[in-house]
Amino acid sequence: MQNTTISNRCINGLLKLIEQERRGETIDRTLIKNLIRMLIDLHLYRKDFEPPFLKSTEELYRNEGRQLIQTLETSQYLIQVERRLREEQTRLTHYIDQSTKVQLIHIVENNLITLHIKDILAKGFDILVNENRFTSVALIYDLFFRIGQIGINDLREAFANYIKVRKIQETKAVDARLRSGNKEASEEELEKILDKLLILFRFIHGKDVFEAFYKKDLAKRLLVGKSASVDAEKSMLLKLKQECGNVFTSKLEGMFKDMELSKDIMTAFEQHMHGREVPGNITTFVSVLTMGFWPTYPTVSAILPPELCKLQEIFTKFYLSKHTGRKLQWQYSLDHCLLKGWLKEKTVKEFQVSLYQALVLLLFNKHLDLSYKDVQEHTKIQDADLQRTLLSLACGKIRLLNKKPMNKDVNTDDRFTLNTSFEHKLIRIKINQVQLKETPEENTSTTERVVQDRHYQIDAAVVRIMKTRKTLAHAQLMSEVFAQLKFPISTALVKIRIESLLEREYMKRSADNANVYEYVA
């Protein structure tokens, strides 16, 4: 084998056979194994065979990686990478010398995984998670784990980003588990599910968004009576408290305290009303909420039946006599009622409805036929709420009203009558699910409030820092603001807030250096 020509022909022949096998053809592995053993014995393997073998391998997988990452769906690409790694391991087992293993596997990993990390994650990670294709997600982890910390870090970042942009979905997942009607799990299984959701929660940056939506959902569960378990609610609250501290959960804890205090207030009110005439013989429960603990609800007006108005006046007088200096502001958006009555042949039913639904239905005690404008005039319910209410009563699965024309939308020229052919096997029927449904306006409003709160927190941090330091350079002020605030903020936003504080004269620029700020006492 000292003749170079013979040596080259032998090595080129070996490389050609290996190339054929990589294309899927069947070759004589025993022949290759014997030839490579001969090269090793003649001390030609490392000097003459290994370099061109690794070079051809590099070219093959570099070209294959570039092509397949563009043409294959992500899960298919991952399967191809796994197959290629398995094939090269087989070659090492059958005929390639083990001294080549580290370099050979590194070439495959580098050209099929490392060079395409960003493309793999950007092209398919979110899709795979959204579609619950966890086998493929697990394969990403296994492949990225092979290339070390760089792969794991990028995967962790991709997962964190996935969670970040889905803060609202995270709160909805918790809400679905804690809401009554969740038949999926026992209390023990529910605890395990909440623990898993908490793991996802740790990846969320800007937990104030989660808090705002969680608070809104919790309020609905508590006020509409849709919480599956008080124990589960308090368990989740404890988990959040352990994770984020007292400040994060203080308002949420205040909501639970309000509900407990409301029970005591209503016990005292019932004792107060004992022996007195109750307007309309109506049983009522009033939740007295501390404004700072609960989500902000828009002030809405509605015309209540005389009996409810009188009962409201009696309770207001009773409460203010016990708590001087306080003010009650009635909120109707989450009120719910239990109406008893019949629509057909005096078959008595009980309807669980929202207050708005109750106000609309009660109109038909005195009217057989009402237009949209008639309903609005009699109730003074705002347009958006009235449309949702009528839609739920006339176009839902359970239709207590008939609508003309009969279609899936509510318009101002529609007319409504009672559905006197209504039938249902249950005595008590739930209609008030409309209150639990999110509207785009609610989500937008909640997000806007979070943004506004962040502005206040940035302003407060800047003023706090300047009050302590008196004089501070712009770069140092920016650095300290970022260190103090825990939610994600941009440099541009902090600059805007600083300009706002300059305009409002909380601070000023130094006369000697425009990049230095001075606190204005």
Side-chain angles (χ1 to χ4, degrees):
M1 293 293 288
Q2 293 302 315
N3 187 298
T4 304
T5 302
I6 297 174
S7 173
N8 288 342
R9 287 179 64 184
C10 177
I11 290 170
N12 288 337
L14 279 171
L15 294 176
K16 192 169 185 179
L17 285 171
I18 295 170
E19 181 185 345
Q20 289 173 353
E21 187 181 43
R22 283 170 169 166
R23 289 202 303 263
E25 299 177 25
T26 302
I27 62 170
D28 187 346
R29 286 179 172 173
T30 304
L31 173 62
I32 296 180
K33 180 178 180 180
N34 291 335
L35 288 172
I36 287 178
R37 289 291 163 264
M38 181 180 67
L39 291 174
I40 292 171
D41 291 341
L42 295 171
H43 304 291
L44 297 174
Y45 177 86
R46 184 172 293 279
K47 179 170 70 73
D48 292 341
F49 173 78
E50 190 178 68
F53 169 69
L54 294 176
K55 182 180 178 182
S56 64
T57 301
E58 180 93 36
E59 290 175 357
L60 170 70
Y61 289 124
R62 182 172 62 247
N63 293 331
E64 183 173 295
R66 288 173 178 173
Q67 178 188 351
L68 296 185
I69 195 65
Q70 299 299 325
T71 58
L72 292 181
E73 190 262 339
T74 302
S75 61
Q76 294 174 327
Y77 181 82
L78 297 169
I79 291 170
Q80 174 68 5
V81 174
E82 185 183 38
R83 183 173 72 82
R84 284 304 203 183
L85 285 164
R86 191 167 55 246
E87 289 174 355
E88 295 303 331
Q89 187 61 54
T90 301
R91 289 184 186 95
L92 286 162
T93 302
H94 285 89
Y95 54 80
I96 300 296
D97 189 67
Q98 290 297 311
S99 64
T100 309
K101 178 178 180 178
V102 173
Q103 296 177 78
L104 175 60
I105 299 302
H106 173 73
I107 286 172
V108 182
E109 291 173 343
N110 185 58
N111 286 280
L112 297 185
I113 305 174
T114 306
L115 295 179
H116 301 292
I117 287 176
K118 303 297 183 186
D119 290 329
I120 292 170
L121 295 175
K123 185 180 176 183
F125 181 77
D126 286 9
I127 294 172
L128 295 176
V129 178
N130 283 336
E131 295 178 356
N132 296 328
R133 293 158 67 182
F134 299 128
T135 301
S136 295
V137 175
L139 184 51
I140 291 180
Y141 176 81
D142 290 340
L143 294 176
F144 281 24
F145 185 78
R146 297 178 67 105
I147 61 175
Q149 200 60 42
I150 183 174
I152 296 301
N153 287 343
D154 283 339
L155 182 57
R156 182 183 290 114
E157 183 180 348
F159 186 70
N161 288 334
Y162 177 87
I163 298 299
K164 283 178 197 174
V165 299
R166 288 161 178 80
K167 301 180 186 80
I168 299 175
Q169 287 91 328
E170 170 78 1
T171 64
K172 297 305 151 198
V174 175
D175 181 49
R177 297 299 184 276
L178 292 175
R179 191 185 296 181
S180 63
N182 171 35
K183 307 296 183 183
E184 298 177 16
S186 64
E187 287 194 16
E188 185 177 339
E189 290 168 334
L190 180 57
E191 278 294 311
K192 291 179 180 178
I193 292 170
L194 294 178
D195 284 335
K196 290 179 180 178
L197 288 169
L198 199 67
I199 293 172
L200 298 181
F201 173 74
R202 293 186 184 118
F203 283 91
I204 295 175
H205 292 277
K207 291 181 171 61
D208 51 348
V209 177
F210 176 92
E211 180 193 8
F213 280 91
Y214 184 86
K215 183 165 74 171
K216 182 163 64 67
D217 292 335
L218 173 62
K220 285 190 175 185
R221 293 196 300 273
L222 294 178
L223 296 176
V224 184
K226 285 293 179 180
S227 183
S229 162
V230 174
D231 289 339
E233 294 282 8
K234 291 186 176 180
S235 174
M236 186 62 190
L237 191 62
L238 180 61
K239 294 178 195 297
L240 292 172
K241 187 173 185 177
Q242 290 171 342
E243 193 69 28
C244 303
N246 294 338
V247 174
F248 185 85
T249 58
S250 60
K251 291 182 179 179
L252 303 177
E253 290 174 315
M255 293 166 69
F256 281 99
K257 290 177 182 176
D258 279 350
M259 297 305 292
E260 293 297 323
L261 288 172
S262 293
K263 291 178 183 177
D264 295 337
I265 291 169
M266 290 313 299
T267 299
F269 182 64
E270 288 171 9
Q271 293 171 353
H272 171 75
M273 294 300 293
H274 184 70
R276 291 182 169 87
E277 182 183 353
V278 179
N281 200 27
I282 298 170
T283 302
T284 188
F285 187 95
V286 180
S287 297
V288 182
L289 315 178
T290 305
M291 188 174 289
F293 293 155
W294 296 77
T296 302
Y297 299 110
T299 302
V300 293
S301 59
I303 297 177
L304 303 183
E307 297 87 351
L308 281 178
C309 287
K310 182 62 177 175
L311 193 56
Q312 194 179 77
E313 290 174 11
I314 293 171
F315 179 84
T316 301
K317 186 176 180 181
F318 162 78
Y319 181 82
L320 296 181
S321 69
K322 302 288 184 180
H323 303 87
T324 55
R326 294 188 183 180
K327 180 182 178 183
L328 286 181
Q329 183 178 6
W330 293 87
Q331 294 286 351
Y332 299 139
S333 58
L334 290 178
D335 281 357
H336 54 102
C337 310
L338 181 66
L339 291 184
K340 291 184 180 181
W342 61 85
L343 290 87
K344 179 185 178 182
E345 298 175 357
K346 296 191 176 181
T347 304
V348 177
K349 300 285 187 181
E350 296 180 353
F351 302 102
Q352 289 184 340
V353 293
S354 70
L355 174 65
Y356 291 158
Q357 289 170 326
L359 296 182
V360 171
L361 290 172
L362 289 171
L363 294 178
F364 290 92
N365 281 335
K366 297 179 179 180
H367 304 274
L368 296 176
D369 179 280
L370 289 167
S371 69
Y372 178 93
K373 292 181 179 178
D374 291 334
V375 175
Q376 191 172 45
E377 181 64 27
H378 285 299
T379 62
K380 297 300 181 184
I381 299 173
Q382 296 177 357
D383 261 325
D385 291 321
L386 183 57
Q387 287 190 12
R388 290 177 69 202
T389 300
L390 289 171
L391 199 65
S392 68
L393 292 173
C395 303
K397 291 182 179 179
I398 301 173
R399 299 183 179 183
L400 303 186
L401 298 180
N402 291 324
K403 183 176 83 71
K404 291 182 180 180
M406 191 60 225
N407 52 37
K408 294 183 178 180
D409 298 314
V410 171
N411 300 301
T412 55
D413 56 352
D414 290 344
R415 299 196 69 83
F416 302 88
T417 58
L418 276 181
N419 179 11
T420 53
S421 61
F422 174 81
E423 290 185 357
H424 201 286
K425 63 181 181 179
L426 298 178
I427 299 298
R428 178 171 292 187
I429 305 159
K430 296 179 181 179
I431 314 290
N432 67 329
Q433 299 303 308
V434 66
Q435 290 180 299
L436 293 174
K437 292 181 180 177
E438 293 270 327
T439 65
E441 293 78 12
E442 280 183 298
N443 285 340
T444 301
S445 175
T446 302
T447 303
E448 287 175 351
R449 283 198 296 274
V450 172
V451 171
Q452 189 61 55
D453 286 344
R454 287 182 175 183
H455 289 177
Y456 295 147
Q457 290 184 59
I458 295 170
D459 290 357
V462 172
V463 172
R464 191 164 54 245
I465 292 165
M466 290 304 303
K467 187 175 182 179
T468 303
R469 297 301 194 91
K470 305 304 182 187
T471 301
L472 203 60
H474 174 78
Q476 194 172 353
L477 175 59
M478 295 288 287
S479 176
E480 293 197 23
V481 169
F482 275 93
Q484 283 198 15
L485 298 175
K486 295 182 179 180
F487 52 82
I489 51 175
S490 65
T491 301
L493 178 58
V494 178
K495 287 181 178 178
I496 290 171
R497 301 316 306 163
I498 289 174
E499 289 297 329
S500 173
L501 291 170
L502 288 169
E503 290 175 6
R504 289 178 283 159
E505 298 183 350
Y506 282 91
M507 50 197 281
K508 64 180 181 180
R509 296 186 187 276
S510 170
D512 300 325
N513 188 342
N515 284 322
V516 174
Y517 302 113
E518 295 175 356
Y519 177 69
V520 177

